[in-house]
Structures are given as C-alpha cells and as structure tokens.
Amino acid sequence: MKEKYDYLIVGAGLFGATFAHLASTRHRRCLVIDKRNHIGGNIYCQQDNGINIHRYGAHIFHTSDKRIWDFVNSMVPFNRYTNSPVAVAPNGELYNLPFNMNTFYKIWGVKSPSEALQKLNEQRCEAIKKMETDGVKEPRNLEEQALTLIGRDVYELLIKGYTEKQWGRKCSDLPAFIIRRLPVRLTFDNNYFSDTYQGIPIGGYNKLVEKLLEGSDIQLDTDFFKDREHLSSLAHKIVFTGKIDEFFNYRFGMLEYRSVRFETETINNPNVQGCAVVNYISSDVPYTRIIEHKHFENFGDSVYENPVSVISREYPAEWNPGIEPFYPVNDQRNNSLNTRYQELAQKEPNVIFGGRLAEYRYYDMAPVIAKVFSLFESDTNL
C-alpha cells in the first residue's frame, strides 16, 4: 500500500501540533490523530457562558526566549496575563505566592529585604547543620531541599501540606529536584514567573492549536493502539506523543503518574475569588486549588461585564489505567524504568518520540515548542 502521508502524528497536543506546523512549512503531509474528541491535548479550552475554561488545569504561557514568544504570537495574539496566585494556609490566612516580601512580612513581620534575608539564613543554616550532623552533604529529598531553600516556617506553613496532598506521598519520600525551581524573592513582586514574556492567547488556546494544525489532516476519536497496524501503514514516519510504556506494550512494566480530577461549577457571581489561581494548603481540604477561569482573560473591571463566573476545583489522584495521566512520578524506580524505555525508543528509526508522556518528564509549554524547533534545526530531512 502506498503511504499517503509523510507523518502520522499521534496526539494533537502542543508537541504534535507544533511538529505538524513545522512539517507543513516544509511541504510534508501530516495526519494528526487523537483519541480524544478535541484537539489541543491538555491545553484545550471549553466554552461556558462566554468564558474559556482550561479544561485540564491552568496553563500560563511564559518564556524568556524571544523567538518562541514571537512564534506563538505570529499564530495568535497573547494578552498580558500575569500569574500571581494566592495560598490559603491551614490557619485560614491568605499569603502571596511566590514567596516574596509580602509573604515574609505576613509570616515574620519583617519590612525590609535585609530583615527577611536574616530570618531566611537563620533557618537555612539550621537545616544545613541538621543535614551535616546526619552526614548528609546534599539534600536527599524534597523536604531537605525545601528547608535549605526557604526554612522551616514557610515550609511547614505553605509547602508541606500542599505538596504531600498533590503527590500523595510524604515530602521526605519525594525527590529533591521537584522543588529546586522554587522562586524566592526579596522584593514585593507577586509575579510567579521571572520570564520576560507571559500571557494567554486571546480567545483561548484552541485558537493557537487550530492555527498550528492548518494544512494537516485531523482525525479525532481515534485510538492509535486499537488500529495500530493500519494507521502506521498510512505514513512514512510516526511522531508519537503518548505514553512511551504503552507504545512498547509495557515490556518493562508500567510507569507511574499522578492525575487530577476536576470539579467545575458555574456561579452566579461575576468575581468569586479575585484572581485566577488560589492554592489550598491544608490536608483537611481535599482539593489543591481553585481556578477561576475568567481572570485569565478579563482584567480589572472587565470581570464584571459577565454576571457569572466558572470555577474548577482540582483534586489530586493516583493514576490508574483509564484516567488521564498528568504528572510523571520521577522517583528512582520510575526514572530507571523510563531510561530502559528511552533506550528502546532510540532503536526505532521511523518513530519520533516527544512531549510529556513520550519522554516521561514535566514540560512547560515554551520548552515543548523549543524541543520541536531543535528537532527541525538538527535534521533538514524532517
């Protein structure tokens, strides 16, 4: 049978859509399939009362790479959204995230960066001395890493409960790297990200993905594994963005994930919580955060132009087959297993593996696009 396409792209998420776009610019023929009934993967937006709902959780595009920023803005203009989440602590008080002078003032009453730094260094030193007493040179787990970064007061008030709830594991059982990118600022700056560029596509992420997929054929409600032989025969090469262990029929065993269950509610209130993201730290609260979606695209008094609002509560869950995998569990066991699968992937000359599930790694959106760019730059034959 003559192959109709140059690429069969399994997954219509950001990696697959970006690959399809760049391939199309080289006049390659692409068939993009997805087992869901929509494009966009986890950045898909669903309309409700004129509000774009981030159906699979909050997605804020941020980058310091001007090329990537210019690229996405050439597809669709982005707004000025700035991520400034708030945390509800177990004591019921509200604290600013990321950890900054607003946070430290509320916890310790400090009013200057030097006062805050003194408190931080006192608690950091305590954590380091404890590790040295135990004969430990580098943090072995998330708890030790957090204590050396932010100290015990902030860790116990604003990190420990939320993290253990999110991952379903004790902080002392989680790898240290999870929290190494924790922002700590000695300024009164509530912007969570320090990147140069940040925003949300005007009109939602669907517009971005639709633009990326122009020129490609799309087939939804199509499970690659239910008709693998036929679908594979349609193209010269496969771009696979699904679960890498599933691609190899779980030869070495199943990789583990954390998942999320969403409970979405429309409320007759134009402004429920005053910002897009509110984290709930206490283990007594079953959800990790509440997203109020209209704040991603409506700013200032414009939130009152729509008399209703839509919120989503996010409940962390252990992943089981049949539900959506969200976060790789990058502990020693799973990383070792993934290494074996990646070694198998390198022996597949006609398959390109990419994205969160295929690489078994956490990805922000901008690095996903950058990864696809690097593939095309390193191989002019793609």
Side-chain angles (χ1 to χ4, degrees):
M1 177 179 177
K2 184 174 174 57
E3 295 155 345
K4 183 180 178 182
Y5 298 98
D6 296 293
Y7 293 106
L8 169 71
I9 301 176
V10 182
L14 191 57
F15 187 99
T18 304
F19 191 101
H21 173 79
L22 295 183
S24 294
T25 63
R26 292 186 178 181
H27 308 290
R28 306 294 193 256
R29 300 159 300 166
C30 299
L31 171 62
V32 182
I33 66 171
D34 202 292
K35 66 180 180 181
R36 299 177 182 175
N37 62 0
H38 60 75
I39 61 172
N42 283 6
I43 64 173
Y44 170 70
C45 291
Q46 185 174 344
Q47 279 271 326
D48 186 335
N49 283 281
I51 301 168
N52 286 306
I53 311 305
H54 292 214
R55 181 167 163 182
Y56 301 97
H59 285 82
I60 299 98
F61 199 96
H62 58 98
T63 182
S64 291
D65 189 330
K66 187 175 187 300
R67 181 181 63 158
I68 298 300
W69 183 248
D70 289 344
F71 171 73
V72 295
N73 277 268
S74 72
M75 300 289 115
V76 57
F78 277 57
N79 67 24
R80 63 170 182 82
Y81 176 79
T82 300
N83 191 29
S84 302
V86 173
V88 180
N91 61 10
E93 294 288 322
L94 295 175
Y95 294 86
N96 289 108
L97 298 175
F99 308 123
N100 61 42
M101 286 300 301
N102 291 306
T103 321
F104 304 141
Y105 168 72
K106 190 152 190 179
I107 294 175
W108 295 317
V110 296
K111 297 180 180 179
S112 70
S114 58
E115 290 178 300
L117 186 59
Q118 182 179 348
K119 289 291 293 184
L120 284 169
N121 285 339
E122 286 174 2
Q123 298 200 0
R124 287 166 172 166
C125 286
E126 288 178 9
I128 292 170
K129 286 180 181 178
K130 173 68 167 57
M131 286 171 52
E132 289 174 347
T133 300
D134 294 339
V136 179
K137 294 182 178 180
E138 295 289 334
R140 296 165 296 183
N141 53 56
L142 187 149
E143 180 167 279
E144 290 178 349
Q145 182 70 77
L147 291 172
T148 59
L149 283 173
I150 200 68
R152 185 164 296 278
D153 288 348
V154 178
Y155 168 70
E156 292 188 346
L157 182 65
L158 297 175
I159 296 176
K160 188 176 188 294
Y162 181 91
T163 304
E164 293 185 345
K165 181 166 53 173
Q166 182 182 35
W167 289 98
R169 292 161 175 78
K170 292 182 178 180
C171 287
S172 56
D173 294 332
L174 289 167
F177 79 87
I178 290 177
I179 208 164
R180 281 181 188 147
R181 63 178 191 158
L182 180 73
V184 179
R185 300 204 185 103
L186 294 174
T187 61
F188 290 92
D189 179 8
N190 294 328
N191 181 0
Y192 194 86
F193 302 118
S194 57
D195 292 291
T196 307
Y197 310 105
Q198 182 176 177
I200 305 284
I202 294 174
Y205 282 99
N206 295 0
K207 290 185 177 295
L208 171 63
V209 178
E210 287 166 3
K211 192 70 175 178
L212 290 170
L213 289 175
E214 284 183 358
S216 297
D217 290 342
I218 303 167
Q219 195 170 306
L220 302 176
D221 294 308
T222 301
D223 189 336
F224 173 73
F225 295 104
K226 289 184 178 179
D227 200 6
R228 182 170 183 165
E229 184 175 349
H230 169 68
L231 289 168
S232 300
S233 73
L234 298 178
H236 178 59
K237 286 190 174 184
I238 296 172
V239 177
F240 184 77
T241 70
K243 292 167 64 250
I244 191 167
D245 52 351
E246 186 176 15
F247 185 90
F248 292 108
N249 298 312
Y250 307 106
R251 185 178 306 180
F252 305 126
M254 298 179 70
L255 291 164
E256 295 177 297
Y257 298 86
R258 286 293 284 174
S259 191
V260 183
R261 177 176 64 85
F262 300 95
E263 183 182 89
T264 299
E265 180 182 359
T266 302
I267 298 177
N268 290 318
N269 181 341
N271 189 5
V272 177
Q273 59 186 24
C275 67
V277 183
V278 176
N279 290 359
Y280 287 80
I281 308 301
S282 175
S283 58
D284 294 333
V285 179
Y287 43 84
T288 51
R289 60 184 184 177
I290 295 178
I291 307 301
E292 186 172 5
H293 299 272
K294 72 189 315 183
H295 289 289
F296 290 127
E297 298 182 67
N298 297 102
F299 309 111
D301 290 340
S302 70
V303 298
Y304 292 96
E305 294 172 5
N306 188 334
V308 303
S309 194
V310 180
I311 65 168
S312 293
R313 298 177 185 88
E314 298 187 6
Y315 295 82
E318 203 68 33
W319 177 81
N320 289 299
I323 65 175
E324 192 64 35
F326 275 80
Y327 305 108
V329 180
N330 292 117
D331 58 16
Q332 184 175 355
R333 181 259 177 193
N334 284 287
N335 286 341
S336 176
L337 196 58
N338 181 48
T339 297
R340 299 176 72 186
Y341 281 121
Q342 297 300 330
E343 289 171 352
L344 286 183
Q346 292 172 12
K347 298 174 183 178
E348 296 282 342
N350 292 321
V351 184
I352 296 168
F353 295 86
R356 174 178 54 96
L357 300 180
E359 298 179 57
Y360 196 70
R361 58 171 291 187
Y362 179 83
Y363 259 125
D364 284 328
M365 288 178 284
V368 168
I369 294 174
K371 178 63 178 291
V372 181
F373 270 47
S374 68
L375 289 174
F376 279 81
E377 289 166 349
S378 62
D379 189 347
T380 58
N381 293 318
L382 284 180

